[in-house]
Amino acid sequence: MCDAQSVTSEPASPAEPGAAPDMAALAKVVARQRAEMDRLRDQAAMSAVLERAKGALMALTGCTPDAADEELQQRAKAGNRTLLEECWITLGGLVPPLHHAAPQSEPAVPEPVISGSENAPGPGVPVTRGTPDAKATDGTGDAFAALGRLGEALVRVGTAQDLARCLLDHLAPEVGVDAVMIFQRMPTGELELVGHAGIEDTLAAQWRQVPPLTGIAALDALRAREPRWLENPDSDRERYLLIGDPPERWRSRAWLPVPTGDTAEVCIGLLRRRDGPFTPPVRQLLRAVTRLCAGRLRAFGAPEEYAADGAAQAVFDVLPGAAMLLAPLTAPTGEVEDYRIDAATGDAVDIIGRTGRELVGHRILECFPGIAGEELWHGCLRTLTTGEPFEGPPFAHQQVDAGTAELSTYAVRAARLGGGLLLAWIRQDSSDRQEQRLADVQRLGNLGWATWNLVTHEVDWSSQVFDILDRDPARGPVHLTDLPGLALPEDVPVLARSVRELMRGRRQFDVPFRIRAADGVRHLRAVAEAVPALDGTPVEVHGFVQDLTAQRSAELALVESEQEILTQHGVLRAERTLAARLQHALLPLPTRPVQLAGLRVEVAYLPAQSGIHVGGDWFSAIELPDGDALFVVGDVAGHGIDAVATMAQLRFTAKGMVITGSSLTGALARLNTLLLHSRDSHATATMVLARYNPRERRLVWAQAGHPPPLLLRDGEVRYLGRPGGMLIGASSSPVYHEAECRMEPGDRLMLYTDGLVERPAEGIDLGLARLAEAVLAHHTDEAGSLSPLLAALLEDERRDDVCVVDIRVPAEPE
């Protein structure tokens, strides 16, 4: 568009009464007006041609509008031509080679995309969610730019063989395509290879004719009218006969049917050497490519020319804005598969720059491949079926007007007209945008605005206020003084007082209140301020009402949860205190080393530092009536009162059984039976029992799923080999075995629970190695050496109880 200029004329001087008009003066005025009109018309034509030439350079070279303008100026100066002549020369260079006579529905010279930004669509191109607007990270590139470049190139394609080469040139850098094959289904049902690129002539000759057999991916895609994505050669060869010598030459393939009529008769095969699936963006791009190729394939077959409705197009020629008249095209199943453009305004432009009458006869999916399956496509189907108009969400588009880039907002609207559709792109003005923004703010903030005129008593509410207050719009809004009456009785006084103070001169209030709606109690917030007159008297109040039910419900739920946590925390602390007292009563700890059967024994018990439960670790170290010593270390699974009770049961029962003559394995078997039939039948425990004979210095021991004892002898550390035995309470018929170890003077033996060696996200082997290294590093023969060892070993927070029995064989008899 050129800059608007006013058409001026010189007013004729009023003639004297009865005098004849000055015909010469009038003729000069008319001549001057005609000259001005001719100048404006020439300027408009010049501007249109210039913008088209700039758009062509931008599409071909990818330059910016300013760079395209400068290039045209330099070319005109170098060739000693006018700028207009240079523009026509540039546009004339876009004429495609004439391989054959093109049908009238195909324009001989494609119109370049006139755009205000690189690769941006024109107003006729709807911006949809399916049209990428940024460089994709999976190699598909800018899908819209790719389709635009391909559309420009397709105008120059005259045969199916040219089409295959064109697709390979454009899709190789975009999606890594290495070969293209185009098959056409013949009337006899067989396939004929009509175009190929990227494969040898020998292979093409082998696949020139394909009989209608099962296991052919291209035939399968044509029959189903759906693409076939072959992405795994190992599984694909079980279903299809793969093309190639060898077939593994192409690791992934796509066979896409092209809708060239009521049925798909052409299938395009895209072959890639690389592994991996076709990602969703790539699949969407390839589907759009096949729709873009449909027009050229129909031109190859010389279909019947479309007879345009001249009367309808004549109307559209004078209509402002971008609009199209669409006729639905149905598949044999009766479903709408595409639309034919029967008329278009001059401002309508497709993806490759065709405008106005050049679009007539083409299919909508050829002109705008990106809309398939998107919101606009489904909206058109609903409008065609129900007759209810459709309006898509607003989108921004940058266009060039008189050499200046301008960002505007458009909305796509569809309305049923007879048996077809009227599709229009409506440019929204600033007031429309402001209304849309206000509606968006109210919707996103779940609020609505209200205005009360205190002089005229007029009240104006937005529709959102009626929804929030659960009030029928037919009843109308309420006066400001009646607003408190909508609240719950207990909230009325505060809201009423705030309203009275506002009307007396206070500037604003912000008050929460509740109402009872059909879906329950709602938590609302009212914010309002007064607009005073010159004397300070309020004359108008405006504000908003906001629904805070969701936030308030979340806050109340959080408070309740915190209260429950505090209550539970108190209960657990009380339980821990009780369990700790019970544990100390049942498991007294000696304050210094004790002597048992000639051995020096130290005991340590360290409760867990994390959590508030008391564990079930325990020990026993007693001297038997026959002079032997009994050592027991165990660990009950779980924490709390139940674990402490099970620990007490096992501790006293084990001692009693051994004292009364039971063997170690017999005691373990009876303890297993006891635990299986106890109150908590699901409880389990690990345990190690050791009996020391001081006369023979012989240690006999058995275990039930417990870590092995550690032996330090002559400066070397090793773990005793564990005899068989599973944990207590896990099986009704366990088998336990004993092992024997002869102790030597100076030996050190440690029995312990798993809390000493286990750490989160770490194997127990690392814990055992760490314990062995610590014993070697901190070994002394002095009494009280166990505590420094544990302090060095347990530097981090203890997540489990630790119980240790440290047994020393004196170097000399004491």
Side-chain angles (χ1 to χ4, degrees), residues 246-264:
E248 293 79 7
R249 175 182 177 184
W250 292 294
R251 304 292 297 175
S252 56
R253 313 150 190 255
W255 293 96
L256 300 103
V258 182
T260 57
D262 292 336
T263 59

Side-chain angles (χ1 to χ4, degrees), residues 225 259-263 298 306 326-342 361-366 377 381 384 419-421:
R225 303 195 69 185
T260 57
D262 292 336
T263 59
R298 285 201 302 274
Y306 166 69
L326 306 180
L329 302 177
T330 57
T333 59
E335 297 180 353
V336 175
E337 64 177 4
D338 209 336
Y339 297 89
R340 184 185 63 241
I341 302 175
D342 285 352
H362 291 278
R363 297 191 175 199
I364 195 71
L365 291 182
E366 297 174 34
W377 179 266
L381 291 178
L384 191 63
L421 287 176

Side-chain angles (χ1 to χ4, degrees), residues 54 71 93 215 253 260 312-313 326 354 410 571 752:
K54 287 167 58 179
E71 176 66 17
R253 313 150 190 255
T260 57
Q313 183 57 48
L326 306 180
R354 293 174 294 201
Y410 290 84
V571 172
Y752 52 90

Side-chain angles (χ1 to χ4, degrees), residues 38-158:
D38 291 340
R39 186 187 68 81
L40 291 176
R41 189 177 297 109
D42 292 341
Q43 183 178 359
M46 173 64 186
S47 178
V49 174
L50 175 60
E51 293 303 325
R52 282 190 169 188
K54 287 167 58 179
L57 282 180
M58 291 163 56
L60 294 174
T61 66
C63 64
T64 63
D66 293 338
D69 183 82
E70 183 178 358
E71 176 66 17
L72 289 172
Q73 297 280 0
Q74 292 178 356
R75 289 184 182 182
K77 183 177 181 181
N80 195 22
R81 292 183 290 268
T82 66
L83 182 59
L84 182 61
E85 290 173 342
E86 187 61 40
C87 290
W88 283 118
I89 291 174
T90 301
L91 293 175
L94 295 177
V95 178
L98 298 178
H99 295 283
H100 59 80
Q104 294 181 5
S105 61
E106 293 288 332
V109 181
E111 294 294 339
V113 179
I114 301 175
S115 172
S117 61
E118 183 179 356
N119 298 327
V125 181
V127 178
T128 64
R129 289 176 288 107
T131 303
D133 56 1
K135 192 75 175 176
T137 60
D138 58 0
T140 63
D142 187 338
F144 188 90
L147 292 175
R149 291 191 295 270
L150 179 59
E152 292 283 353
L154 288 179
V155 179
R156 299 167 176 81
V157 169

Side-chain angles (χ1 to χ4, degrees), residues 74 191 304 340 354 372 494-495 535 573 637 699 702 726 738:
Q74 292 178 356
L191 293 180
E304 296 182 359
R340 184 185 63 241
R354 293 174 294 201
V494 176
L495 184 57
D535 60 356
R573 283 193 174 278
L699 181 76
M726 68 172 57
E738 292 181 349

Side-chain angles (χ1 to χ4, degrees), residues 92-324:
L94 295 177
V95 178
L98 298 178
H99 295 283
H100 59 80
Q104 294 181 5
S105 61
E106 293 288 332
V109 181
E111 294 294 339
V113 179
I114 301 175
S115 172
S117 61
E118 183 179 356
N119 298 327
V125 181
V127 178
T128 64
R129 289 176 288 107
T131 303
D133 56 1
K135 192 75 175 176
T137 60
D138 58 0
T140 63
D142 187 338
F144 188 90
L147 292 175
R149 291 191 295 270
L150 179 59
E152 292 283 353
L154 288 179
V155 179
R156 299 167 176 81
V157 169
T159 66
Q161 186 66 22
D162 294 340
L163 176 60
R165 297 193 194 99
C166 180
L167 289 177
L168 181 60
D169 291 342
H170 285 78
L171 295 181
E174 295 294 335
V175 294
V177 172
D178 298 298
V180 177
M181 301 181 73
I182 303 177
F183 282 102
Q184 183 174 4
R185 183 163 53 182
M186 309 306 293
T188 57
E190 64 182 3
L191 293 180
E192 179 179 348
L193 183 64
V194 296
H196 64 85
I199 66 172
E200 301 82 2
D201 293 338
T202 303
L203 183 62
Q206 294 174 355
W207 289 86
R208 181 69 60 186
Q209 300 290 335
V210 181
L213 305 175
T214 59
I216 305 298
L219 269 175
D220 190 15
L222 288 173
R223 293 188 184 113
R225 303 195 69 185
E226 287 292 336
R228 292 294 178 258
W229 310 99
L230 280 61
E231 300 165 331
N232 187 335
D234 296 332
S235 60
D236 293 336
R237 66 163 52 93
E238 298 178 0
R239 301 175 53 199
Y240 300 112
L241 180 62
L242 300 182
I243 297 175
D245 186 17
E248 293 79 7
R249 175 182 177 184
W250 292 294
R251 304 292 297 175
S252 56
R253 313 150 190 255
W255 293 96
L256 300 103
V258 182
T260 57
D262 292 336
T263 59
E265 301 296 338
V266 177
C267 189
I268 297 178
L270 306 173
L271 291 71
R272 303 190 306 182
R273 291 191 179 94
R274 70 184 187 188
D275 287 311
F278 293 88
T279 61
V282 170
R283 292 189 178 192
Q284 183 179 10
L285 174 62
L286 296 183
R287 288 177 186 266
V289 166
T290 59
R291 291 191 291 270
L292 196 60
C293 293
R296 297 310 300 165
L297 289 170
R298 285 201 302 274
F300 301 157
E304 296 182 359
E305 296 181 1
Y306 166 69
D309 186 347
Q313 183 57 48
V315 174
F316 274 70
D317 285 339
V318 297
L319 288 178
M324 296 177 184

